[in-house]
Amino acid sequence: MIHNVIAMSLLIRNGLLITPRRVLRADVKIVNGVITEMGVGLSTSGVDEVIDASGMLVLPGVIDEHVHMREPGLEYKDDFTHGTRAALKGGVTTVIEHPNTLPPVEDPGKLASKARPLESKAYVDYALLGVLHDGNIHLFEDIVAAGAVGFKIFMGPTTGNIPPPSDSSLYEALSKSGRTGVTIAFHAEDHSLVTYFTEKVKAGGGMDPWLHIEARPPITEEYSIVKIATIAKQTHGRVLIVHISSIEALEAVRKARSEGVEIYGETCPHYLVLDKVDYQKHGSLIKVNPPIRGGIHRERLLEAVGNGLIDTLGSDHAPHTPEEKKRDIWSAASGIPGVQTLLPIMLDLALRNVFPLTRVPALLSENPAKLWGLWPRKGSIDIGFDGDLVVVDPGGETVVTEEWLEYKYKLSPYIGWRLKGRIRYAILRGMVIYRDGVITDKPVGKWIRPVKL
Ligand SMILES: [Zn+2]
């Protein structure tokens, strides 16, 4: 345990700063939680603590924009304490918590009653999304006023069984998004097509885990994205398509963007590093929605991460119990935990030159901060921003083991993986909350509301 984490001032010296546009050697000084000075050879006099980052990479703290920590209501799967400890060990200093908890975050009161109790449990900062469905579009502005950084709409069946919106509700929600500039994240799988294909494949009698791919083919994603984009084009809504898993979905986003729709794309590490053959080894463990398709889809997604067609990476951290995951492919729960391995996997890919290192802070910090109203407070190493940083040893290694993982249940397909790069420090608002394997003894995370510009 680390005691006395609250240093009034902290200087990180001689590190190589990785930003979306450049790589530079500079010191960073954080005073009272905020970055106050950057430059070469900053004075150490009067500084409470100095971290020597020689030979290290310094990145902005990661914002994992897509987590389901399961609290309140689903703590038997996992909880906010385990989830945010896992986050900080993985270099994530802010999480954006999705709204399909129990009760779902569908009105201002439920937002506040979810957000406040989490503050005593949060090891990292957190922001909350509200959910939109047919019954609550009229509360859009009130939920924002209560502190939501944005919304989620589920177009297809998912954990929590929130029904998809009617087309008119979708139009109304995207009109409000257009007027306010508030982002809506879409789980874009068409409900009726998913149901149709799933029933058809199940009726064939097969039980092979990879049949999950056939039960939710790319057209279910593409069709849903085209519908959302068509309405967003008319209403100027601000759209993020989360967990993109296929070429068809990528192409639908690219096309909508070329027509002037404000549409962004997220993918997740599991679509980049797992493949169809992994169903043989892991079975239902890697059942997620939309499915891990592998092959050419995986190749194109990796390209899209490198070339900017994909804007953000989220973990879609979605823990379940071993009993819920060990069932056959049709009855197993969908989702895997991933908040702790998000940055380690992305660093590994970048350090093996799959895409440039500068894409990591763009995808994991700057872009999510801008999408979710956290800019210019979080998401960049710059004067005036929160002192949220991660210090990484690029020559080190991260070995994923059950002991290393902080999840309640260690159900990760990455156990045994050796990844390039090792996180040495995680710093939240100038506080060293993680230091060489040791987590702070205090949950110092705060509820973050949108920055008013
Ligand atoms: Zn999700």
Side-chain angles (χ1 to χ4, degrees):
M1 293 292 189
I2 305 168
H3 296 277
N4 304 320
V5 287
I6 301 166
M8 296 295 284
S9 57
L10 178 68
L11 182 67
I12 297 112
R13 291 179 79 190
N14 300 319
L16 200 59
L17 309 191
I18 312 295
T19 82
R21 282 159 293 278
R22 59 193 182 134
V23 173
L24 67 157
R25 191 166 301 284
D27 304 347
V28 181
K29 190 187 270 184
I30 304 168
V31 178
N32 293 327
V34 174
I35 298 170
T36 54
E37 250 183 289
M38 291 168 63
V40 178
L42 296 185
S43 162
T44 60
S45 82
V47 172
D48 295 320
E49 184 181 352
V50 177
I51 288 176
D52 181 13
S54 302
M56 305 286 158
L57 312 177
V58 179
L59 293 112
V62 168
I63 299 169
D64 186 347
E65 66 171 6
H66 194 162
V67 303
H68 304 267
M69 297 294 191
R70 305 305 193 198
E71 190 168 348
L74 299 162
E75 291 90 340
Y76 73 93
K77 293 176 189 278
D78 208 331
D79 57 39
F80 213 66
T81 305
H82 284 90
T84 54
R85 285 172 67 91
L88 80 86
K89 236 169 146 177
V92 173
T93 51
T94 303
V95 292
I96 298 186
E97 162 68 7
H98 284 228
N100 54 333
T101 34
L102 290 179
V105 181
E106 60 191 355
D107 63 45
K110 286 180 186 130
L111 182 94
S113 62
K114 176 174 178 176
R116 296 234 165 75
L118 297 181
E119 204 144 37
S120 63
K121 302 170 183 179
Y123 280 79
V124 299
D125 286 352
Y126 61 99
L128 262 54
L129 298 187
V131 70
L132 291 174
H133 52 66
D134 283 343
N136 76 340
I137 311 282
H138 63 288
L139 296 174
F140 187 111
E141 293 84 355
D142 295 340
I143 296 170
V144 171
V149 294
F151 291 98
K152 175 97 172 257
I153 291 181
F154 295 92
M155 301 293 279
T158 192
T159 302
N161 290 321
I162 293 160
S166 65
D167 293 356
S168 54
S169 292
L170 192 56
Y171 191 94
E172 188 65 16
L174 283 166
S175 302
K176 287 176 185 277
S177 165
R179 282 200 293 276
T180 57
V182 173
T183 304
I184 304 177
F186 284 88
H187 179 135
E189 285 184 298
D190 185 78
H191 198 287
S192 65
L193 285 179
V194 166
T195 308
Y196 165 73
F197 284 110
T198 303
E199 291 308 319
K200 204 170 149 179
V201 177
K202 273 167 89 169
M207 296 302 278
D208 291 315
W210 61 265
L211 286 172
H212 185 52
I213 303 174
E214 293 193 357
R216 301 171 96 107
I219 191 173
T220 59
E221 274 185 289
E222 182 185 10
Y223 186 68
S224 187
I225 294 168
V226 167
K227 179 159 136 179
I228 295 159
T230 305
I231 298 178
K233 187 177 173 183
Q234 182 82 29
T235 56
H236 308 291
R238 196 175 196 220
V239 170
L240 171 70
I241 305 297
V242 295
H243 49 49
I244 288 175
S245 74
S246 65
I247 297 172
E248 288 82 349
L250 277 175
E251 183 54 26
V253 168
R254 192 199 58 72
K255 191 157 173 283
R257 205 178 282 179
S258 75
E259 291 170 359
V261 179
E262 191 175 3
I263 186 167
Y264 302 91
E266 174 203 85
T267 192
C268 313
H270 39 268
Y271 302 117
L272 303 178
V273 296
L274 297 176
D275 219 304
K276 194 173 169 180
V277 294
D278 291 300
Y279 288 96
Q280 280 166 21
K281 181 177 176 192
H282 295 295
S284 303
L285 176 67
I286 60 165
K287 182 185 181 189
V288 295
N289 295 332
I292 292 159
R293 305 180 196 279
I296 186 78
H297 297 284
R298 176 182 168 191
E299 285 169 30
R300 288 289 181 78
L301 285 164
L302 281 166
E303 271 172 41
V305 164
N307 69 23
L309 182 50
I310 287 288
D311 301 285
T312 59
L313 252 287
S315 68
D316 197 4
H317 175 76
H320 296 285
T321 66
E323 189 277 318
E324 289 171 312
K325 289 302 289 182
K326 280 178 183 157
R327 299 176 195 155
D328 68 75
I329 193 66
W330 303 119
S331 46
S334 292
I336 44 173
V339 68
Q340 193 170 335
T341 47
L342 170 66
L343 177 62
I345 287 173
M346 293 300 284
L347 281 172
D348 178 73
L349 291 169
L351 290 169
R352 289 191 291 110
N353 297 315
V354 174
F355 43 75
L357 204 46
T358 50
R359 287 297 288 153
V360 175
L363 291 152
L364 296 180
S365 301
E366 181 169 316
N367 293 346
K370 287 179 171 170
L371 262 177
W372 299 114
L374 306 180
W375 189 271
R377 174 174 178 186
K378 295 201 176 282
S380 183
I381 306 175
D382 243 315
I383 290 167
F385 278 75
D386 279 1
D388 299 347
L389 302 172
V390 191
V391 179
V392 171
D393 175 4
E397 191 182 52
T398 301
V399 184
V400 183
T401 60
E402 291 201 10
E403 301 71 56
W404 178 68
L405 291 171
E406 290 289 322
Y407 311 141
K408 188 182 263 187
Y409 299 110
K410 324 289 185 185
L411 294 172
S412 170
Y414 310 118
I415 290 172
W417 286 33
R418 308 179 84 91
L419 303 167
K420 277 184 184 287
R422 192 164 77 92
I423 297 168
R424 296 281 313 278
Y425 302 90
I427 297 158
L428 175 66
R429 287 179 276 105
M431 298 176 278
V432 181
I433 57 172
Y434 177 76
R435 193 188 293 262
D436 284 326
V438 183
I439 298 178
T440 171
D441 59 352
K442 278 199 224 94
V444 292
K446 279 190 179 160
W447 178 25
I448 306 293
R449 273 147 279 192
V451 175
K452 299 269 185 292
L453 291 172

